[in-house]
């Protein structure tokens, strides 16, 4: 109900710098600068002064800042009021989908249970797999999305959403098609000796950290290269371009046409499931209860 660029402008003024505003918004400083420049262009106003000591609002920027905060608060109250009026009439379930987090597992469940929710409609909402902005996507669960199907052992993700576990995907290794291991049906850990294995940076995923510790302590012949906490398509591109190996998952075997995903003789796997809001509405809890019942599970949906 208001210009979304105002949120970026308010963050810049509050933080006094592009970099700190970018951290708050889970964007890059370049993206913040572009949004701020676009807002100034749209309004035909200089909203901030940019100096070596930081960013401060101009007099007209100070005026816009105060009014924008009022408008945003007013808009949020208006939306909440409208939602309250709509109540149970709002029966749309919005499901996020991306290349690394496709919605097909959700749709498989929906086709099985749709007869129990005749008033519900499914809306598919695409999003980008961008490792620099994925936390902002997760924070939009409950807003732009009701569900995202995701592989999740991320502490930062689970601070921002709940997960209903559906199962687990085996940890595999992706190799470029021309690699010496590409023709193998299954790999032993010793097959990875002398290779560089790309995997997520430690500190956010306990399961990946446990696997990393195992490799570092028991298989030092494998060189480990950090990719950042989250994957996006650029990580798969770098694997293909460098000829390195990539710690991957069975569900990602078709992500990159020039990579072959091969299982490994180990027991490592990572859970996946339905990511949903920390404080979900009744319709979401009802749907999760139906999923649990159909799978013969007991207890609440928040497992």
């Amino acid at each position: 109900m208001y210009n979304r660029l105002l949120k970026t402008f308010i963050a810049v003024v509050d933080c006094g710098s592009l970099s700190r505003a970018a951290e708050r918004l889970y964007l890059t400083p370049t993206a913040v600068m572009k949004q701020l420049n676009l807002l100034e262009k749209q309004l035909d106003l200089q909203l901030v002064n940019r100096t070596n000591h930081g960013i401060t609002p101009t007099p007209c920027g100070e005026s816009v800042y105060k009014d924008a905060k009022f408008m945003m608060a007013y808009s949020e109250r208006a939306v909440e009021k409208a939602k309250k009026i709509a109540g149970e009439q709002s029966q749309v379930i919005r499901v996020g989908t991306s290349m690394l987090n496709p919605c097909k597992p959700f749709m498989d469940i929906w086709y099985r249970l749709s007869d129990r929710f005749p008033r519900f409609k499914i809306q598919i909402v695409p999003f980008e797999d961008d490792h620099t902005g994925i936390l902002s996507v997760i924070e939009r669960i409950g807003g732009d999305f009701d569900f995202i199907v995701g592989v999740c052992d991320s502490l930062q993700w689970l601070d921002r959403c709940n997960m209903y576990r559906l199962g687990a995907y085996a940890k595999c290794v992706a190799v470029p098609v021309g690699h010496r291991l590409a023709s193998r049906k299954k790999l032993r850990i010793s097959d990875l000796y002398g290779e560089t294995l790309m995997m997520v940076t430690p500190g956010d995923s306990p399961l990946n950290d446990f696997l990393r510790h195992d490799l570092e302590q028991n298989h030092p012949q494998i060189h480990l290269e950090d990719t950042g906490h989250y994957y996006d398509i650029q990580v798969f591109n770098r694997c293909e371009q460098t000829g390195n190996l990539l710690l991957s998952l069975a569900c990602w075997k078709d992500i990159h046409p020039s990579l072959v995903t091969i299982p490994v003789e180990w027991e490592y796997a990572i859970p996946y499931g339905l990511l949903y809001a920390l404080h979900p509405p009744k319709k979401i809890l009802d749907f999760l209860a139906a999923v649990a019942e159909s799978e013969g599970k007991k207890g609440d949906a928040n497992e």
Side-chain angles (χ1 to χ4, degrees):
M1 296 178 67
Y2 57 86
N3 189 331
R4 291 287 179 178
L5 298 176
L6 290 173
K7 182 179 180 181
T8 300
F9 168 62
I10 288 174
V12 170
V13 174
D14 286 344
C15 296
S17 79
L18 294 177
S19 58
R20 287 196 294 271
E23 291 178 2
R24 176 191 290 190
L25 298 170
Y26 301 106
L27 298 171
T28 63
T30 300
V32 171
M33 180 180 64
K34 288 181 179 179
Q35 292 185 18
L36 182 60
N37 291 341
L38 179 59
L39 179 62
E40 289 184 323
K41 182 178 180 181
Q42 289 179 356
L43 300 180
D44 194 23
L45 292 171
Q46 181 182 345
L47 300 177
V48 297
N49 293 312
R50 301 164 174 82
T51 70
N52 293 332
H53 303 290
I55 292 180
T56 57
T58 62
C60 64
E62 186 68 37
S63 176
V64 170
Y65 173 81
K66 293 178 181 178
D67 291 338
K69 296 198 78 169
F70 172 80
M71 286 189 296
M72 289 172 65
Y74 186 86
S75 295
E76 289 171 0
R77 289 196 299 271
V79 170
E80 288 302 317
K81 181 179 178 181
K83 287 182 177 179
K84 186 176 181 180
I85 293 173
E88 292 301 317
Q89 297 176 9
S90 177
Q91 299 296 329
V92 175
I93 294 180
R94 297 154 300 170
V95 184
T97 190
S98 70
M99 185 176 294
L100 294 181
N101 299 278
C103 65
K104 185 181 183 302
F106 177 89
M107 298 309 301
D108 291 341
I109 295 172
W110 174 249
Y111 294 140
R112 189 172 71 245
L113 299 177
S114 57
D115 289 346
R116 300 181 57 172
F117 300 91
R119 291 181 298 168
F120 283 20
K121 304 294 182 183
I122 303 299
Q123 179 182 357
I124 305 301
V125 183
F127 65 91
E128 293 293 329
D129 292 309
D130 177 1
H131 74 277
T132 62
I134 190 61
L135 287 180
S136 67
V137 172
I138 300 304
E139 288 188 332
R140 286 153 53 198
I141 298 175
D144 294 346
F145 319 101
D146 292 308
F147 290 111
I148 289 176
V149 183
V151 174
C152 185
D153 184 52
S154 165
L155 299 178
Q156 294 191 75
W157 284 29
L158 294 174
D159 276 344
R160 293 165 169 80
C161 69
N162 287 311
M163 182 175 75
Y164 178 92
R165 178 169 172 162
L166 296 174
Y169 288 123
K171 289 280 190 182
C172 300
V173 168
V175 305
V177 292
H179 195 277
R180 66 179 180 86
L181 298 175
S183 61
R184 302 287 292 273
K185 299 299 182 183
K186 198 165 191 176
L187 298 174
R188 299 184 299 270
I189 297 182
S190 60
D191 293 327
L192 310 182
Y193 288 2
E195 300 287 347
T196 295
L197 178 65
M198 301 163 57
M199 66 180 299
V200 295
T201 302
D204 184 55
S205 167
L207 287 172
N208 281 308
D209 289 353
F210 187 83
L211 170 56
R212 173 186 288 270
H213 179 75
D214 179 13
L215 296 178
E216 289 177 338
Q217 294 298 313
N218 301 313
H219 307 280
Q221 301 92 335
I222 304 171
H223 175 68
L224 301 181
E225 177 182 313
D226 293 345
T227 64
H229 285 313
Y230 315 113
Y231 284 4
D232 58 19
I233 191 60
Q234 295 307 320
V235 172
F236 292 84
N237 284 336
R238 191 161 81 248
C239 173
E240 191 276 332
Q241 292 163 2
T242 61
N244 292 336
L245 310 184
L246 176 67
L247 186 66
S248 190
L249 299 172
C251 61
W252 291 340
K253 63 183 179 63
D254 297 321
I255 290 294
H256 198 295
S258 295
L259 299 179
V260 179
T261 301
I262 308 173
V264 184
E265 291 181 351
W266 57 28
E267 299 300 321
Y268 293 111
I270 195 163
Y272 77 95
L274 302 178
L275 307 181
Y276 63 100
L278 290 174
H279 305 288
K282 184 177 182 298
K283 69 175 183 179
I284 300 304
L285 293 177
D286 288 346
F287 181 80
L288 291 172
V291 175
E293 182 181 342
S294 73
E295 296 180 342
K297 292 186 179 180
K298 297 180 180 180
D300 61 30
N302 197 7
E303 60 172 64

